[in-house]
Amino acid sequence: MDQGLRRPNLIMIMSDDHAAHAIGSYGSRINQTPQLDRIAAAGMRFDNCFCTNAICTPSRAAILTGEYNHVNGVRTLFDTLDNTRPQLQKELRQAGYQTAVVGKWHLGHGPESDPAGFDYWRVLPGQGDYHDPELIGPDGTERHPGYVTDIITDLSLRWLDRRDREQPFLMMINHKAPHRPWQPDQKHAELYDDVDIPEPDTFDDDHQGRSKALAGLKMGMGDLNDIDLKKPVPRGLTAEQERSWRYQRYIKDYLRCVASIDDNVGRVLDWVEEEGLTDDTVIIYTSDQGFFLGDHGWYDKRLMYEESLRMPLLVSYPPLIEPGSSCADLVTNLDFAPTLLELAGVDLPDRLQGFSMIDSLSGKPPEQPQTCVYYRYWEHLSDPHRVPAHLGVRTDRYKLICYLEPVPGSTTRFAATELELYDLDLDSAELINVYHTPEYAAIAKDLLAQLRQRQLEVDDRDLVARLP
Ligand code: CA
């Protein structure tokens, strides 16, 4: 990084389950996000940012620690992050940054897992509520009347106004929305009332040729419950009409929640401009993972398919980043910590398993380009969605997914069952599993070798011997 740059302020806005394909600058066909698009217009859009485990708690732990989930100990939704472990905000604070987090935490509560290394923190208990949410701080729990996305922004801006102007800051604004159960605010309650949201191209995917493990999933339109739908299903609909009706109920509330995020991102961007901090502030927008927006007939995440695997990542910082640019480099949620630390001029600790994105942000080819993203989803058939454990690798062109099941007699040791291979250049929708196609035999073999190699490199070795 250029030595001439001052240590920038860092504002990281992270929503929960906001898929890239519901953002205007990513080419959304279903909504508009004028405020998020301001970040893209001022900075860089990453088209290949992926999470290493597509679920809330583990992704958040990977972001804060820069470590894989088998290293930071947060493999599933049911694990908590040990707050004595090294984390990004602690290292920034040590380097003289003021640090704050407001909103969703979801890494555990109590003396061992409350936020640590923050000068200011107000976090939702667990998933938190959309309306009149409680927030926990060092002095206890307080209820805040209003809508969660507005309140998280209010508290963040209030802290920013009170900050010490002599020192740079890290402000993490962690939205709850648009997480299930998708409760919009009053302002957006009637948005989309008069329109039909288009169904995605893969809405009627019958999952032919894919792993049998997918047959048991509970994340189709029929699995949306009364709380999700908020209205009884009208009588007299055909099965197909009911499915479409359920999609409209789901996607409209999801997008209404996104609309409130977009407005509130605008408030933060306005604040930065009004303070005259544009050239001194890195602004990041991301989400802990993606989401199925009716794609393949599903809602939710967890699986390694693109819609769920991809994280939106928009970054602006005028002294470094070309306005309106995009980047196709492979990056992951492990790369956030090294990037922010390097931007802040902190020497990168050895423990980090990710790579700084500074070269990509500067428009240069990365010194250490990543050629293969390693993914592992650890939960196995957990309720309510019944997604099997799986792992895999994604390169710039191919994706290998290896579904797992417990070794007989064990609940903790897994072995590979079925494999899927996708050629993303020819089949970006991932409809055709070519793992058993003879022309792809050499590629399948090579990807399996890369998967084994990655398991050794990242020290997640328990499966190496049991892969095909
Ligand atoms: Ca999430």
Side-chain angles (χ1 to χ4, degrees):
M1 195 179 140
D2 292 345
Q3 290 307 308
L5 295 179
R6 272 187 293 172
R7 293 197 302 170
N9 303 309
L10 308 167
I11 296 181
M12 180 160 150
I13 308 173
M14 179 161 69
S15 55
D16 193 348
D17 296 0
H18 188 186
H21 52 312
I23 294 179
S25 44
Y26 278 94
S28 171
R29 299 188 306 169
I30 56 174
N31 69 331
Q32 295 182 335
T33 53
Q35 303 303 326
L36 289 170
D37 299 348
R38 283 168 67 187
I39 306 178
M44 181 172 278
R45 184 192 73 220
F46 283 79
D47 290 339
N48 288 314
C49 179
F50 300 110
C51 59
T52 49
N53 184 356
I55 190 150
C56 304
T57 306
S59 181
R60 286 154 198 271
I63 286 169
L64 289 184
T65 61
E67 299 162 353
Y68 284 96
N69 295 139
H70 60 277
V71 173
N72 63 38
V74 185
R75 294 177 176 82
T76 73
L77 271 189
F78 313 102
D79 296 316
T80 57
L81 181 61
D82 172 354
N83 62 12
T84 63
R85 291 188 70 85
Q87 292 169 39
L88 151 75
Q89 73 280 5
K90 296 186 187 182
E91 285 147 357
L92 286 170
R93 197 188 196 190
Q94 189 114 37
Y97 271 71
Q98 305 163 78
T99 57
V101 63
V102 177
K104 182 156 169 179
W105 179 244
H106 209 199
L107 290 162
H109 300 292
E112 282 150 28
S113 43
D114 274 339
F118 290 103
D119 296 303
Y120 175 79
W121 57 275
R122 293 290 182 278
V123 296
L124 297 164
Q127 296 283 7
D129 292 323
Y130 272 104
H131 294 284
D132 304 334
E134 288 187 333
L135 288 159
I136 307 173
D139 302 322
T141 300
E142 204 182 345
R143 194 171 146 276
H144 296 256
Y147 188 66
V148 70
T149 307
D150 300 330
I151 290 163
I152 288 169
T153 309
D154 292 345
L155 293 176
S156 300
L157 293 179
R158 214 172 290 163
W159 180 79
L160 285 170
D161 282 333
R162 289 199 309 263
R163 77 193 190 282
D164 172 359
R165 279 152 205 269
E166 301 305 312
Q167 297 298 328
F169 61 81
L170 165 73
M171 175 79 245
M172 303 185 87
I173 305 175
N174 291 358
H175 287 298
K176 167 191 173 55
H179 193 281
R180 198 183 186 194
W182 312 301
Q183 294 174 356
D185 63 357
Q186 210 63 53
K187 181 180 167 194
H188 300 96
E190 287 161 19
L191 183 66
Y192 309 116
D193 264 2
D194 304 329
V195 294
D196 275 343
I197 307 292
E199 292 172 359
D201 292 342
T202 60
F203 190 59
D204 296 321
D205 183 3
D206 59 6
H207 311 140
Q208 279 276 319
R210 258 69 64 76
S211 162
K212 288 193 285 292
L214 302 186
L217 299 183
K218 299 282 183 210
M219 44 196 268
M221 295 301 110
D223 299 308
L224 292 163
N225 64 29
D226 295 348
I227 296 167
D228 301 322
L229 298 174
K230 304 172 191 78
K231 252 189 181 180
V233 179
R235 291 173 188 211
L237 299 182
T238 63
E240 194 184 335
Q241 286 168 336
E242 178 176 334
R243 213 170 143 256
S244 293
W245 182 87
R246 285 170 170 269
Y247 167 75
Q248 293 296 327
R249 293 295 301 170
Y250 151 55
I251 199 68
K252 286 183 180 179
D253 276 344
Y254 177 95
L255 295 176
R256 289 164 182 147
C257 292
V258 169
S260 166
I261 298 241
D262 193 60
D263 284 359
N264 277 288
V265 166
R267 292 175 61 204
V268 175
L269 301 182
D270 290 347
W271 180 90
V272 172
E273 285 177 15
E274 284 157 16
E275 291 285 308
L277 293 176
T278 303
D279 284 339
D280 300 305
T281 306
V282 179
I283 301 174
I284 297 174
Y285 181 80
T286 190
S287 167
D288 54 353
Q289 67 324 277
F291 214 68
F292 296 106
L293 306 178
D295 312 282
H296 304 284
W298 296 322
Y299 66 98
D300 211 69
K301 57 246 180 183
R302 299 161 192 264
L303 292 160
M304 205 188 151
Y305 301 114
E306 294 290 272
E307 295 86 353
S308 148
L309 183 70
R310 175 172 287 111
M311 300 165 75
L313 177 60
L314 305 171
V315 189
S316 67
Y317 181 39
L320 189 67
I321 305 173
E322 180 74 17
S325 54
S326 66
C327 175
D329 298 338
L330 295 181
V331 299
T332 76
N333 52 356
L334 298 176
D335 303 336
F336 286 64
T339 304
L340 293 179
L341 290 169
E342 190 175 0
L343 282 164
V346 177
D347 286 338
L348 298 188
D350 288 342
R351 70 184 170 79
L352 294 173
Q353 293 181 293
F355 301 92
S356 167
M357 296 182 247
I358 294 271
D359 285 339
S360 304
L361 290 168
S362 329
K364 291 190 287 207
E367 214 168 279
Q368 299 166 281
Q370 303 189 61
T371 55
C372 170
V373 171
Y374 176 66
Y375 181 89
R376 186 162 181 184
Y377 175 76
W378 297 77
E379 289 181 29
H380 186 61
L381 304 181
S382 58
D383 285 326
H385 300 300
R386 312 285 300 163
V387 173
H390 58 287
L391 77 169
V393 284
R394 189 204 190 279
T395 66
D396 62 345
R397 174 158 180 185
Y398 299 106
K399 183 185 293 177
L400 180 78
I401 307 175
C402 178
Y403 289 95
L404 303 174
E405 65 178 32
V407 173
S410 172
T411 53
T412 52
R413 292 170 57 234
F414 286 83
T417 54
E418 294 172 279
L419 288 109
E420 295 180 359
L421 170 60
Y422 297 97
D423 182 341
L424 301 168
D425 273 7
L426 302 181
D427 174 30
S428 60
E430 299 169 293
L431 294 171
I432 307 159
N433 173 16
V434 293
Y435 183 74
H436 299 289
T437 306
E439 302 91 274
Y440 284 90
I443 289 158
K445 197 173 164 207
D446 174 58
L447 288 166
L448 271 168
Q450 290 197 51
L451 176 58
R452 278 194 217 96
Q453 180 63 28
R454 291 298 289 146
Q455 284 226 304
L456 295 173
E457 281 167 9
V458 307
D459 204 20
D460 184 20
R461 293 161 184 257
D462 64 319
L463 277 166
V464 177
R466 288 194 293 279
L467 293 174

